[in-house]
Amino acid sequence: MLDLVGYLDRFSARPGEALAVKVSAATPYRADLVRIRHADPNPAGPGMKLIPVPADWAGAYPARVQVVTLGSHGEAEGVLELGMGFTLLLRMQPWLPGGEVLGLEIGGHRLRLSLEAEGLRVEANGASCHGPAPLPRRWYEVAVTLGDGALRLSQRALAPVAGRADEGEAEAALDTDGGWSGPARLRFGRGFNGRLEDPMLLAGIAPAGLEAPEALLAGGRVRAWWDFSLGIGSEAITDRGPGRLHGWLVNQPARAMRGSRWTGAEHAWRHAPRHYAAIHFHSDDLADCGWDTAFEISIPPDLPSGVYGVRLRAEGAEDVIPFYVLPPKGAARAPIAFLASTFTYQAYANHARGNLDDAFRARIAGWGAYPHNPDEHHDFAHSTYNRHPDGSGIGFSTRLRPILTMRPGFLTFDDPRGSGLRHFPADSHITDWLEELGFGFDVITDEDLDNEGLGLLAPYKAVVTGSHPEYHTQGTLDALQAYVDGGGRLAYLGGNGFYWKVARRGPVIELRRAEGGIRAWAAEPGEYWHQFDGTLGGLWRRNGRPPQLLCGVGFSGQGAFEGSHYRRLPVPPHLAWIMAGIEEEVMGDFGLSGGGAAGFELDRADAQLGTPPGAVVLARSEAHQPHFVTVPEELLGRLTTVTGEPAPALVRAEIVYGETAGGGAFFSTGSITFGGSLSHNGYANPISRLLANVLRRFTA
């Protein structure tokens, strides 16, 4: 645990609202408010700009260490009448040894079923017995019986593998003192990595199996049956037994997971929920750190909209927790809205990349950059670009935790030609430029847009994105499309934007990395539908909404974090204003992001994918390094692509301008590294001039 670290209960607030600050501190500390103007510590650029702002809550606060409890599980409680003998049945798909499969406390008795390296172990009233080690990712039916002076464990593979001793029975003598009846508390999956299905408690110790749970329920022996196929879209777990010991889930385990009954006949869990009656628990799931509030900050009515930070400082430690101040609801204090890509920041939150070597550490120290890296700190869970300990992909991300990657001065790469910034600190290249050139702007976030829709955008003449607005809900995408179609102007200043579809519940986003796209991991077949809203996940392109429909360009090529340049193309006379004052043929062969304005992830126009008629390609990148590749969704085979062009030709960024029938317009740069070039040469360069020309016209 870090000596000083914190998070807020929300990413944003309006004047008159308050934010709760959650802090873990090993020693007393001081807190104050800063405006975050430029978050790049590279000495070759403008440098860090954290501007102090007076705040009535600034001052000293006492030490208090708060802990994080990782791992998901389920709980249920109520009254159970099991008598002197009973049977526990469940189905289990272990992915990794370790953890508690099920725990039961009732009437002074305890039963615990756990998975150890040697195999299953059941303990009750001082007795214990063991089963053989199960094979990972295979389904088993497990039966535990207590009664007649014995504790018995049975483990049966639903798809046996020849020659493997993963089935068996065990028995131990049991001294039962009184019946198993009274107030009961159960736990499911605590510390367990794998899937559980249909936990059931039956009166008596007669043989039974889970082939037909409904028939068992009709037979009258069932005392509790937690049917995980009910309420898949919620955090509730439902007991179909007579006692109604309904429960709840902790730390967001994965639902809408294939269960033991999945046949492949249905791929959407809403159509066959009993095929998806499994919950996948992980030992590192996290939905909410649950820290107590250290203090609250209120947003004064006259505080300008912008990017701010709660700065915490103690001897030898500092943390700056970013947040956004919006204008008053229904009002706009500036002609431009900067849309902070908070869903993308959240998807990448605490991304452990495995690239923190000695040379990178030396750069971080030499620049005075943010010193903490997720490669070394695992307390706050990782990103949707990482995997759980059992190898499954992380599909949920919460903002209710410290996000180390969302800090001023955080370096993502040891960039030999630039700063190596991404996401939150990289987007400060754009907001700093807006301020430097005198463009008034308010700040809004993805989450605000998802909550409020088109009405949040409507007062603005132009909306400006950050460098990588990759993750969007249907709500945010609908609002942006309606804004542009209805006459709004969108400046998309990044690459690989509007790419992945996410669902959201409160502070948590859900991602299913379905077929297609460059993916850190692949969702299992049949698990492409979100549990939060029941809709198909994956690429927006696979959902029939390619980015070209919104902004004229879409993801086309990717390489390492290096940049190249654009070459101007002939511009029709009616668009000559875009290139006014720019004499250079080559633009952007410089910058703080990979050394060039066209790099890392590249977008291009494509009429087949929705680039509107009349859209104009103003410039095209060239001379990309050999490590750049075409994205997989463009490839049909080894030699063929969707467009028919050679695959290497699709590795290009295009700057595109277009207009809509409703009077709207878009300007898209097609590159993640574009913003890093804005401050070059004291902000006087063709990339800066190009964007200034566009925004002046958009806000005229």
Side-chain angles (χ1 to χ4, degrees):
M1 175 70 77
L2 297 175
D3 287 341
L4 182 64
V5 70
Y7 66 97
L8 305 177
D9 66 330
R10 287 181 291 153
F11 279 148
S12 64
R14 286 189 164 93
E17 297 178 345
L19 293 167
V21 186
K22 320 284 187 171
V23 179
S24 178
T27 61
Y29 61 95
R30 296 190 65 83
D32 67 344
L33 176 65
V34 294
R35 184 162 60 87
I36 302 171
R37 175 167 164 177
H38 196 257
D40 186 345
N42 188 341
M48 294 283 284
K49 299 178 185 179
L50 303 181
I51 303 167
V53 178
D56 58 10
W57 48 265
Y61 292 90
R64 183 184 181 185
V65 174
Q66 305 204 62
V67 300
V68 181
T69 302
L70 296 178
S72 58
H73 66 278
E75 296 186 19
E77 56 186 24
V79 176
L80 275 174
E81 300 293 335
L82 299 179
M84 300 298 294
F86 67 92
T87 299
L88 164 67
L89 297 175
L90 59 84
R91 288 186 173 183
M92 172 188 75
Q93 187 189 59
W95 284 49
L96 194 69
E100 181 181 80
V101 177
L102 185 142
L104 167 65
E105 299 176 11
I106 178 172
H109 302 295
R110 288 184 174 84
L111 179 146
R112 184 173 189 265
L113 178 66
S114 57
L115 179 62
E116 301 175 347
E118 298 79 14
L120 276 177
R121 173 186 175 90
V122 62
E123 304 164 83
N125 290 2
S128 67
C129 53
H130 294 77
L135 295 175
R137 305 195 185 195
R138 294 184 181 274
W139 279 103
Y140 295 83
E141 186 161 295
V142 177
V144 175
T145 60
L146 291 90
D148 293 342
L151 171 67
R152 299 179 180 88
L153 171 66
S154 171
Q155 175 179 315
R156 177 176 66 87
L158 298 185
V161 177
R164 295 300 301 258
D166 58 334
E167 298 185 295
E169 298 182 355
E171 181 176 325
L174 177 68
D175 181 15
T176 302
D177 182 14
W180 291 66
S181 299
R185 185 174 182 88
L186 291 98
R187 297 179 303 272
F188 309 98
R190 189 172 63 177
F192 177 67
N193 289 280
R195 302 182 180 189
L196 300 180
E197 179 181 274
D198 287 335
M200 179 181 284
L201 291 167
L202 300 93
I205 58 173
L210 281 167
E211 289 82 2
E214 289 84 356
L216 290 175
L217 185 64
R221 289 181 56 202
V222 172
R223 294 294 175 265
W225 170 25
W226 290 276
D227 182 354
F228 295 159
S229 73
L230 302 177
I232 283 177
S234 74
E235 294 304 290
I237 50 179
T238 301
D239 174 18
R240 293 179 63 178
R244 297 293 189 263
L245 274 73
H246 305 313
W248 60 94
L249 296 171
V250 177
N251 268 343
Q252 200 65 68
R255 305 189 77 168
M257 297 283 106
R258 298 182 323 196
S260 65
R261 295 172 175 81
W262 187 75
T263 64
E266 283 289 352
H267 284 247
W269 62 263
R270 293 178 292 105
H271 298 161
R274 282 296 293 157
H275 290 200
Y276 292 86
I279 297 178
H280 196 144
F281 299 94
H282 305 95
S283 59
D284 65 339
D285 281 331
L286 180 64
D288 185 348
C289 280
W291 288 358
D292 291 335
T293 298
F295 58 94
E296 286 193 346
I297 63 174
S298 57
I299 310 300
D302 58 347
L303 189 65
S305 179
V307 188
Y308 292 86
V310 176
R311 181 167 59 182
L312 313 173
R313 288 187 285 187
E315 176 137 5
E318 178 174 312
D319 192 23
V320 179
I321 312 168
F323 68 96
Y324 301 92
V325 173
L326 278 64
K329 190 163 186 176
R333 290 177 169 172
I336 295 173
F338 175 78
L339 178 59
S341 304
T342 50
F343 288 155
T344 299
Y345 304 161
Q346 202 169 324
Y348 284 88
N350 297 334
H351 183 187
R353 295 175 178 269
N355 63 344
L356 187 64
D357 58 16
D358 290 342
F360 196 4
R361 290 187 182 93
R363 167 170 283 195
I364 292 168
W367 286 2
Y370 182 72
H372 306 303
N373 190 289
D375 279 6
E376 297 180 317
H377 299 284
H378 312 286
D379 301 303
F380 313 119
H382 287 299
S383 77
T384 64
Y385 284 76
N386 294 118
R387 294 175 181 265
H388 292 291
D390 65 11
S392 57
I394 296 177
F396 299 96
S397 179
T398 178
R399 56 170 166 75
L400 295 178
R401 55 173 168 160
I403 300 177
L404 307 185
T405 49
M406 192 179 169
R407 292 296 190 262
F410 181 84
L411 305 184
T412 297
F413 298 113
D414 188 8
D415 178 1
R417 300 177 59 199
S419 308
L421 269 60
R422 294 199 67 196
H423 309 126
F424 171 79
D427 286 352
S428 74
H429 292 150
I430 296 169
T431 53
D432 172 68
W433 177 88
L434 289 168
E435 196 159 341
E436 183 71 26
L437 269 69
F439 287 101
F441 67 98
D442 290 338
V443 173
I444 59 177
T445 75
D446 285 344
E447 187 168 326
D448 299 310
L449 185 57
D450 194 46
N451 289 337
E452 300 181 28
L454 176 61
L456 185 61
L457 305 178
Y460 296 99
K461 292 185 176 181
V463 173
V464 173
T465 78
S467 60
H468 193 33
E470 182 178 7
Y471 289 84
H472 281 270
T473 64
Q474 183 163 328
T476 58
L477 203 59
D478 285 350
L480 287 164
Q481 191 73 61
Y483 173 74
V484 175
D485 289 347
R489 294 160 175 82
L490 175 66
Y492 164 40
L493 305 184
N496 183 214
F498 316 105
Y499 191 63
W500 287 106
K501 180 182 177 183
V502 292
R504 170 182 164 237
R505 179 186 293 138
V508 180
I509 61 170
E510 178 189 6
L511 170 68
R512 301 279 171 141
R513 294 200 185 275
E515 58 186 8
I518 286 182
R519 297 177 286 174
W521 49 267
E524 298 286 335
E527 296 177 358
Y528 296 166
W529 268 255
H530 295 130
Q531 73 180 57
F532 282 174
D533 61 10
T535 64
L536 177 64
L539 298 185
W540 274 113
R541 175 171 171 171
R542 298 285 188 183
N543 279 260
R545 298 185 69 170
Q548 286 89 343
L549 287 170
L550 172 66
C551 56
V553 299
F555 195 23
S556 188
Q558 182 189 51
F561 199 75
E562 288 189 74
S564 186
H565 59 266
Y566 300 96
R567 185 172 295 276
R568 287 177 54 177
L569 298 175
V571 175
H574 73 283
L575 297 181
W577 56 269
I578 296 179
M579 293 294 178
I582 301 173
E583 303 298 331
E584 294 88 346
E585 286 289 322
V586 169
M587 303 186 303
D589 53 343
F590 47 77
L592 296 174
S593 294
F600 188 43
E601 294 183 335
L602 314 173
D603 296 5
R604 72 169 211 289
D606 190 328
Q608 293 183 51
L609 291 174
T611 301
V616 177
V617 178
L618 306 169
R620 182 173 292 132
S621 68
E622 62 183 19
H624 290 290
Q625 296 80 6
H627 51 68
F628 275 79
V629 298
T630 306
V631 295
E633 60 266 29
E634 297 289 356
L635 303 175
L636 294 177
R638 184 174 64 88
L639 300 175
T640 55
T641 66
V642 172
T643 67
E645 298 175 78
L650 299 181
V651 176
R652 64 181 191 262
E654 292 178 332
I655 299 178
V656 175
Y657 175 85
E659 298 177 349
T660 68
F666 57 83
F667 170 78
S668 299
T669 64
S671 165
I672 276 183
T673 61
F674 179 90
S677 299
L678 291 169
S679 66
H680 179 74
N681 191 36
Y683 304 87
N685 63 74
I687 294 297
S688 175
R689 184 61 182 267
L690 174 70
L691 183 56
N693 289 343
V694 170
L695 291 187
R696 288 193 183 104
R697 177 62 66 98
F698 276 6
T699 57

